[in-house]
Amino acid sequence: MFAVFNTNPVPSTNQSANQELMKKDQVWGNHLSRQPAEQNVLFCAGRDVQALPMADEILLPFDIWTNRAHSIMLFKQRIISADVLKKILSGLADLEHLVNTGQFQLDPLKEDVHFNVESFVTTKYGAEAGGSMHTGRSRNDQAACDTRLYLRNAGMILAENILILIESLLKQAEQYQNTVMPGFTHYQPAMITTWGHWLCSYAQALQRDVERVLFGLKLVNRNPLGAAASFGTSWPIDRAETTRLLGFDSTDLNTLDCIVARWENEAQLAQTYGFFMNHCSIIAQDLIFLSLPYIKMIRIDDAFVTGSSIMPQKKNPDFAEVLKSKASLVQGALNSLMGIQKGGLSGYNRDTQLTKYLIMDVVRECEAAPVILKGVFETLHIHAGQMKQHCQTGFMNAVDLADYLATRHHLPFRSCYNIAALAVKYSESAGILTYEALQQALKETGTPVSLTQEDIQMLNNPQEILKLRQHQGAPSPESVKVQIDQMLLKNKEFLNEVQSLRQRIQNASESCIGFKVG
C-alpha cells in the first residue's frame, strides 16, 4: 500500500449548489467554485479539533508482532513448550482482531503497551502463557524494538509519499518546460527561467530527502531485541531468529548500545523530516508569493484555500502557512531529541521515554505534507501569459546581453557587464532594453562592436534567451527534459528499493503470523 492519506486532490462537484451548501461544514466558502478538500481542512485545523491517540496505542500492532517473534524464538530454542506457544499465539491473534476492529483500549493502570498485552494473554490463556512471553526480555528492548518497527514503517510511508509527489511534479515540469517566467534573487527580478525548471528544482531537493529516508532506514532496520535491560540475558536466546521474523536487515551487536541509542533513531527520522519540511516551507513561500493578486502568475485551486469568518471574499493559502510553521515545529523537536540523552549514563534512563512522544508528534504533524502538496500542484492554475509578461519587468535579460557580447565579440565579461549596466540605465523609460540605449552604452565605453536591431529583438525574447542556456541543469527546454528523464529514472530506483524492503518486511510478518506449532 502506498500512501496513508487520501491522495485524490479534488472533491466531487456533481451535486447541486444547494446540496453543496447544505453539506458544507465551514462558515466560510460560499464564494468558492468547489468544496474545500477535506484533507486540506483537517491539515490546517490540526489539533484544534482532532484528538491525539495514546503513544503506546500507536505501538500496539508492533508490540503484538514483537511478542510473536520473541515467543516463536523461545519455542525454537526449547525454552517454552509447544502448548504454551499455541496459547500465546492464540492470545495475540485474539488481541490483534480486537485492535483492528477498534474493540480494545489500553488500560492506563497497566502503565504501558507491554504490560497491557501481557495482561490480556494472561487473563485469557493463563499465567504460564502470559508470563512466558517476557522470558529473556525487558521492557527496555521491547520498547526499543517496537519503536524501531514504528520508525521503519513511518520512514517507508514518508519515502513513498515523497516519491509520489516528485513524480507528479516531474509530469508537470514536462508540461511546462516551455513556459517562461521570471527567476528571483532577493525577491527582485533576476533572470528568465521556466516553470518546468522551477518544478525540477523542487523535485531534485525532494529526491535528496528520499535519499536521507533510505539512509535512515538502513540504520533503524537493525534488531535490538535480546538486549534486555542493556546487558543481555542468561537465557539461550537466538537473536538471529527474531531478526528474521521481524524483517530486520541485521542484528545490533552490542546490547548496551541497543538501549543507549533509543533516542538516536528517533532523531535520525526527525532530522530527515526537518530537511523535508524546510523544502516544503520554501515551496510554500513560493506558492504564496507567486499567487499574490499583485503577481498573479499562479492561482491556488479553491479546493486548497480557506476563508475568513469576517471577510467573505478571502481565499487564503493556509496550507502553505501551516507547512512553514510545521517546519519550525520539527526543528524544535529535533533539538529536544538531540538533547535528551546528552550527558546520560550508559544504560537505560527514563529520560528517553519522551523521545517516543517527540517523534510521534513530528510524524503526526508532518506525514500529510507530501499528500497535501501533491493535491495543490495537481490542481494549480498556471497563468502562462502573466508569467511571460512579467519577464519584461526588471531587465532580466541584462546578464544574457553581457554574455552575448562577451561570447560573440570575445570581450572580457566585466567589460560587457558594464556595457549592459549602462544599457539598462538608458532604457529605464522604455522598460525594456532598446537598440538606442545599447548603442549609447557602446559609444560611451568606447567599445568597437556593432549589434543589429535583430540582435536586440532576439535578446528581448524570453524563449530565444533560454535557447542560449543549453548546459546541464539549465532552464532551456532541452536541458529541462534531460533533468526530468534522469530524475524519473532515479525515482524508479528509489521506489524499487522501498518496495523491495516493504516486501521483505511483509514476508517476515506473514512468516510470523502463519507459524505452525508442531
Side-chain angles (χ1 to χ4, degrees), residues 30 110 186 199 230:
N30 292 350
K110 294 183 173 65
H186 307 279
L199 292 171
S230 294

Side-chain angles (χ1 to χ4, degrees), residues 258-491:
C258 290
I259 305 305
V260 175
R262 278 183 60 176
W263 65 279
E264 190 173 318
N265 291 297
E266 292 88 328
Q268 184 73 45
L269 181 61
Q271 184 188 50
T272 298
Y273 259 111
F275 278 107
F276 167 65
M277 291 304 296
N278 268 12
H279 290 143
C280 289
S281 183
I282 293 167
I283 294 170
Q285 184 64 16
D286 288 352
L287 294 173
I288 291 170
F289 175 75
L290 296 173
S291 66
L292 284 172
Y294 319 103
I295 305 295
K296 287 186 178 177
M297 284 192 274
I298 61 174
R299 180 172 68 81
I300 297 166
D301 191 82
D302 283 0
F304 288 93
V305 298
T306 49
S308 164
S309 64
I310 185 174
M311 295 169 283
Q313 84 283 5
K314 291 301 292 298
K315 294 184 178 182
N316 301 322
D318 281 12
F319 78 90
E321 295 164 351
V322 170
L323 281 171
K324 293 197 297 177
S325 66
K326 287 179 185 287
S328 180
L329 181 146
V330 174
Q331 291 172 20
L334 175 59
N335 189 52
S336 296
L337 284 165
M338 293 295 291
I340 280 178
Q341 186 71 314
K342 183 168 66 68
L345 181 68
S346 288
Y348 175 69
N349 304 291
R350 195 152 184 174
D351 310 41
T352 56
Q353 181 174 339
L354 270 69
T355 64
K356 176 170 56 178
Y357 309 151
L358 288 164
I359 191 57
M360 286 181 175
D361 282 349
V362 168
V363 173
R364 183 186 299 110
E365 292 292 334
C366 303
E367 63 184 342
V371 182
I372 292 293
L373 280 176
K374 176 178 177 287
V376 169
F377 276 102
E378 289 188 345
T379 58
L380 199 63
H381 303 268
I382 308 302
H383 298 159
Q386 195 76 3
M387 285 180 167
K388 186 172 183 179
Q389 183 177 334
H390 279 297
C391 288
Q392 302 298 328
T393 302
F395 301 97
M396 282 177 283
N397 55 347
V399 67
D400 299 286
L401 167 61
D403 287 342
Y404 187 79
L405 289 169
T407 55
R408 293 300 177 91
H409 299 281
H410 308 291
L411 298 171
F413 171 77
R414 188 56 64 205
S415 300
C416 299
Y417 171 95
N418 292 328
I419 293 168
L422 287 172
V424 167
K425 178 180 178 181
Y426 300 140
S427 299
E428 284 285 355
S429 59
I432 62 171
L433 286 172
T434 67
Y435 177 75
E436 293 74 20
L438 180 57
Q439 289 299 107
Q440 184 177 349
L442 290 169
K443 181 179 179 181
E444 191 171 312
T445 57
T447 308
V449 167
S450 61
L451 291 177
T452 66
Q453 292 275 9
E454 289 74 21
D455 290 327
I456 295 300
Q457 289 174 4
M458 183 274 292
L459 289 167
N460 279 327
N461 185 327
Q463 270 89 8
E464 292 299 318
I465 285 176
L466 288 177
K467 290 179 182 178
L468 300 174
R469 303 190 209 147
Q470 294 293 334
H471 62 79
Q472 186 180 28
S476 65
E478 297 80 9
S479 179
V480 168
K481 183 63 170 68
V482 171
Q483 294 170 51
I484 293 168
D485 291 343
Q486 290 182 351
M487 282 192 269
L488 281 173
L489 184 61
K490 184 178 287 187
N491 237 41

